[in-house]
Amino acid sequence: DAGVIQSPRHEVTEMGQEVTLRCKPISGHNSLFWYRQTMMRGLELLIYFNNNVPIDDSGMPEDRFSAKMPNASFSTLKIQPSEPRDSAVYFCASSLNRANEQFFGPGTRLTVL
Amino acid sequence: QKEVEQNSGPLSVPEGAIASLNCTYSDRGSQSFFWYRQYSGKSPELIMSIYSNGDKEDGRFTAQLNKASQYVSLLIRDSQPSDSATYLCAVNLSGNTGKLIFGQGTTLQVKP
């Protein structure tokens, strides 16, 4: 069975540009999580969805960040406009239900110049 | 006080030895605890979950949980160079909300 799929794997963009990261959770999983990892702050939860509904977005750093989950098999994390301090690795994870084990995708390495 | 604390290391052990990784957490109501392994440049990989006090063994890995002391540990027996990675402790906050709080990770180096 395929794991969590993320795209793109690498993204290099210039400050001010819009960035869209994509995630396909494991089939049958009903919870989806977006994380950001940096050396300074470690792994931080940005937002999570349960049954396609956003449950907790308290980790979203600013209004420049938004996330959607239009259906059970797809989610996006958008940054508009992007800034150099947004450079990080962004992970998507999914779980069978929100209290269960989470499985991570390969991540998207974002560099904002 | 950080919600989940780990010694950043590096923890260096010789091949074949037991590696002991420790984690403390602040939320006394936490119910679910996880250990992830992360190789450099890769994503976190789940290796153990534990929900009840005591020990849970899976192959060379043993997770230990003591809720009274708010302490969870991971033991790796017969350590191999391939175990060299960063180990992340994650705690699910009270109410099993799904919100995992991760420690900063402990870097393990297993020397041949």
Side-chain angles (χ1 to χ4, degrees):
Chain A
D1 191 15
V4 175
I5 298 172
Q6 291 187 247
S7 65
R9 296 291 304 276
H10 301 272
E11 177 81 25
V12 180
T13 190
E14 293 189 347
M15 183 174 62
Q17 296 299 304
E18 178 179 295
V19 175
T20 299
L21 311 181
R22 297 172 176 80
C23 175
K24 176 179 169 56
I26 294 172
S27 177
H29 283 190
N30 65 358
S31 294
L32 183 140
F33 307 81
W34 282 101
Y35 289 90
R36 178 173 67 177
Q37 188 174 40
T38 61
M39 288 294 293
M40 288 296 295
R41 299 177 67 88
L43 196 58
E44 301 175 287
L45 177 67
L46 300 177
I47 185 172
Y48 80 91
F49 296 83
N50 195 51
N51 293 323
N52 312 338
V53 176
I55 302 299
D56 186 340
D57 65 354
S58 59
M60 296 285 261
E62 301 172 31
D63 290 346
R64 298 184 296 107
F65 286 69
S66 62
K68 293 182 179 180
M69 191 165 186
N71 57 63
S73 59
F74 184 66
S75 177
T76 60
L77 178 67
K78 186 176 294 187
I79 308 172
Q80 165 64 12
S82 58
E83 296 183 4
R85 60 193 168 121
D86 301 331
S87 298
V89 180
Y90 290 81
F91 290 107
C92 176
S94 71
S95 68
L96 192 57
N97 67 59
R98 59 188 182 184
N100 276 17
E101 301 161 336
Q102 296 180 21
F103 298 90
F104 282 73
T108 296
R109 182 173 296 276
L110 173 64
T111 302
V112 183
L113 303 175
Chain B
Q1 180 187 5
K2 292 182 180 179
E3 292 177 285
V4 179
E5 295 204 54
Q6 297 180 255
N7 187 324
S8 62
L11 172 66
S12 183
V13 300
E15 183 175 357
I18 296 175
S20 178
L21 306 162
N22 305 313
C23 173
T24 58
Y25 60 94
S26 60
D27 184 351
R28 186 170 288 278
S30 296
Q31 298 294 322
S32 307
F33 308 85
F34 308 90
W35 282 100
Y36 286 82
R37 177 177 61 198
Q38 187 173 26
Y39 293 113
S40 181
K42 301 296 186 182
S43 60
E45 174 193 7
L46 180 70
I47 53 174
M48 290 287 285
S49 59
I50 187 165
Y51 305 94
S52 304
N53 278 330
D55 295 359
K56 179 181 178 182
E57 186 174 319
D58 184 0
R60 294 186 297 112
F61 299 97
T62 298
Q64 299 175 318
L65 175 61
N66 184 326
K67 291 184 180 179
S69 300
Q70 295 173 242
Y71 176 92
V72 57
S73 65
L74 180 70
L75 300 178
I76 307 175
R77 289 182 299 281
D78 188 24
S79 296
Q80 301 297 309
S82 59
D83 294 326
S84 298
T86 296
Y87 289 81
L88 299 166
C89 171
V91 177
N92 197 329
L93 297 182
S94 296
N96 277 334
T97 63
K99 187 171 183 175
L100 283 186
I101 305 298
F102 282 82
Q104 285 289 94
T106 298
T107 299
L108 173 66
Q109 297 174 346
V110 181
K111 297 187 175 181

